[in-house]
Amino acid sequence: SGAPCPASSLRLLRPRHTTNIFLARICAKMEMESSSGQGGEFQTDTLLDFSMRWIWRDDDPETSPAYFFPTRFFTTLDEDPEGPAAVSATWTAKHNIDIFKKQFVFIPINESLHWSLCVVVNPGAITNEYVDEDDQSEDQTFPCILFLDSLKAHRKARVANKVRNWLNHEAKRLGKFTELFEGRHPKLFNKDTMEVIDPEVPYQDEYVGESGAFVCRCAYALYLMRHRRITYGSAGLETRPYLRDLITNSPEFKFNMRDFGRVGDERIWKPSNTVFVDMLKMLDSADGDNSDVVFQIGKGRKTKKKKGKELFHAHRNIIFARFPILASLTEGIEDGTPIPIEDVDPAIFRKLLRFVYGGGGPPQDA
């Protein structure tokens, strides 16, 4: 349903149960702002990153079977002269992440004001592609690349090639699969061993500006499947389209793009232009004396390399009116008591609050 969720009913819903509603609303509205030219591309990047982080907020990045890269990952991979080395230095090597231990690696892509989602599946199982056919089993884990695009507007072959080059770089950096690399396979990940598959999913038709919502909804659906093994047998490789039973007909992917259209029409985010500046001033001046909600974002102590915890003062009535999912976290909390949200970057949360209060991009000096 695309109907708004009344604040009075939120006490009956835990945030986890309303994740798909939250993602659809936040991203569909961001896409509408993008198409209206109100600084939407910046906002969509910020909110999509926040939404992705929200999906796996309870997971340990090192032990989770899923890993989510931010929106800048593929842009850097595609545009930086160093390509794979640049993204490894910025993300995986810096944070000591071994992506070959993951079942799903999520890579959102933004090109030409349109979003799509690339998902690397079982990269650590690439060795299964190098055994004799007689030794292969339907129960073996299947490595592949999923490409989900609501308009089929992006070139999946080009994206997959960039991602495979990065996978080869990562494998060599970590000293993985050395016997195969030292043999006759200089490019272990290639179009034959790491096939790109675009399974049938709900596509965008007459609606415009919903690709961000589509990306988040598909990412959430796959995240719910993170403990389900994808094997040669379950992938249905003998018949096309591939992954029909595992993805296309799965309950996780039973959503409709029309739902996003209805969500996008809801007037629950956009404030009157006459109060834009005043709302931001109210947020900027909020402190313990003139606010009644405090969010404690991040974790740990502040060091030279780590920002640590940050407090954000806000106003309960505004949060309830403009962001009911976030407001549900404040129920039953006394005024002024910090509400901890550990797994969200303070910089992302600051931008989110500014959008909630202002309805547009933050000032240039923000």
Side-chain angles (χ1 to χ4, degrees):
S1 172
C5 182
S8 60
S9 69
L10 285 173
R11 60 178 56 91
L12 303 178
L13 301 172
R14 297 301 300 165
R16 179 180 297 279
H17 297 154
T18 57
T19 296
N20 56 345
I21 300 173
F22 163 68
L23 294 177
R25 286 180 174 173
I26 198 170
C27 291
K29 202 61 182 177
M30 289 278 64
E31 293 280 0
M32 289 184 66
E33 296 293 345
S34 177
S35 63
S36 69
Q38 299 181 21
E41 184 173 358
F42 166 82
Q43 296 168 358
T44 306
D45 285 2
T46 300
L47 269 297
L48 197 141
D49 279 343
F50 182 88
S51 300
M52 291 290 191
R53 189 57 192 154
W54 175 272
I55 291 174
W56 69 318
R57 63 195 180 278
D58 295 328
D59 287 15
D60 182 337
E62 292 188 11
T63 60
S64 173
Y67 193 83
F68 288 75
F69 283 108
T71 58
R72 292 185 297 110
F73 179 87
F74 185 79
T75 302
T76 303
L77 178 64
D78 186 35
E79 298 178 358
D80 193 290
E82 297 296 325
V87 295
S88 292
T90 304
W91 284 283
T92 51
K94 180 178 180 180
H95 298 289
N96 195 30
I97 299 299
D98 185 350
I99 54 98
F100 298 103
K101 294 180 179 179
K102 308 300 181 184
Q103 169 152 302
F104 293 132
V105 179
F106 294 87
I107 304 174
I109 298 163
N110 183 12
E111 292 182 336
S112 303
L113 300 179
H114 176 69
W115 288 91
S116 61
L117 180 65
C118 177
V119 185
V120 180
V121 180
N122 299 320
I126 192 64
T127 53
N128 292 337
E129 289 289 308
Y130 288 89
V131 301
D132 294 336
E133 290 187 4
D134 294 338
D135 295 329
Q136 283 187 339
S137 167
E138 288 191 350
D139 191 51
Q140 288 180 322
T141 305
F142 174 55
C144 64
I145 294 175
L146 299 181
F147 193 74
L148 305 167
D149 185 345
S150 62
L151 287 176
K152 295 189 174 183
H154 290 164
R155 295 170 55 195
K156 64 179 181 181
R158 187 186 75 85
V159 171
N161 187 55
K162 295 277 187 181
V163 172
R164 292 188 194 106
N165 288 338
W166 166 67
L167 290 172
N168 283 314
H169 175 88
E170 278 291 291
K172 291 180 179 179
R173 182 183 69 83
L174 294 172
K176 302 281 187 177
F177 322 116
T178 53
E179 292 184 1
L180 291 173
F181 273 122
E182 292 172 356
R184 63 182 186 277
H185 308 293
K187 288 189 176 182
L188 193 62
F189 295 87
N190 56 63
K191 63 183 181 66
D192 296 319
T193 60
M194 199 70 172
E195 185 177 359
V196 57
I197 300 174
D198 53 346
E200 290 186 351
V201 292
Y203 289 114
Q204 187 174 331
D205 42 31
E206 71 268 29
Y207 297 104
V208 178
E210 294 153 6
S211 58
F214 172 86
V215 163
C216 285
R217 187 60 184 84
C218 286
Y220 180 57
L222 284 171
Y223 174 77
L224 294 177
M225 300 167 60
R226 65 193 182 283
H227 297 299
R228 193 179 307 170
R229 288 185 66 223
I230 296 182
T231 65
Y232 287 94
S234 64
L237 301 181
E238 296 181 357
T239 59
R240 290 182 179 270
Y242 296 159
L243 301 171
R244 175 181 292 275
D245 291 333
L246 193 66
I247 291 183
T248 306
N249 295 332
S250 70
E252 290 83 3
F253 276 86
K254 292 304 179 184
F255 60 90
N256 192 310
M257 291 303 293
R258 293 177 181 271
D259 293 335
F260 296 149
R262 288 194 292 270
V263 170
D265 290 336
E266 295 173 6
R267 301 181 181 276
I268 60 174
W269 283 77
K270 190 174 182 180
S272 169
N273 288 334
T274 60
V275 299
F276 175 80
V277 175
D278 291 336
M279 291 278 282
L280 284 178
K281 287 182 178 179
M282 180 185 295
L283 175 63
D284 292 339
S285 63
D287 56 28
D289 295 327
N290 58 21
S291 66
D292 53 7
V293 176
V294 183
F295 295 100
Q296 181 178 282
I297 308 301
K299 57 183 178 181
R301 296 182 177 179
K302 184 176 181 180
T303 65
K304 292 182 178 179
K305 296 183 178 180
K306 188 175 181 180
K307 294 181 178 179
K309 301 175 183 176
E310 289 191 36
L311 296 179
F312 294 83
H313 295 271
H315 306 85
R316 194 182 301 268
N317 288 340
I318 293 176
I319 299 297
F320 263 104
R322 306 263 298 146
F323 201 164
I325 298 299
L326 182 62
S328 67
L329 301 179
T330 72
E331 292 192 344
I333 305 297
E334 294 184 3
D335 292 357
T337 301
I339 302 170
I341 304 178
E342 293 186 348
D343 295 326
V344 174
D345 189 292
I348 296 293
F349 191 83
R350 179 180 293 105
K351 294 171 184 176
L352 175 67
L353 272 186
R354 292 188 70 84
F355 175 75
V356 170
Y357 274 68
Q364 294 299 316
D365 60 348

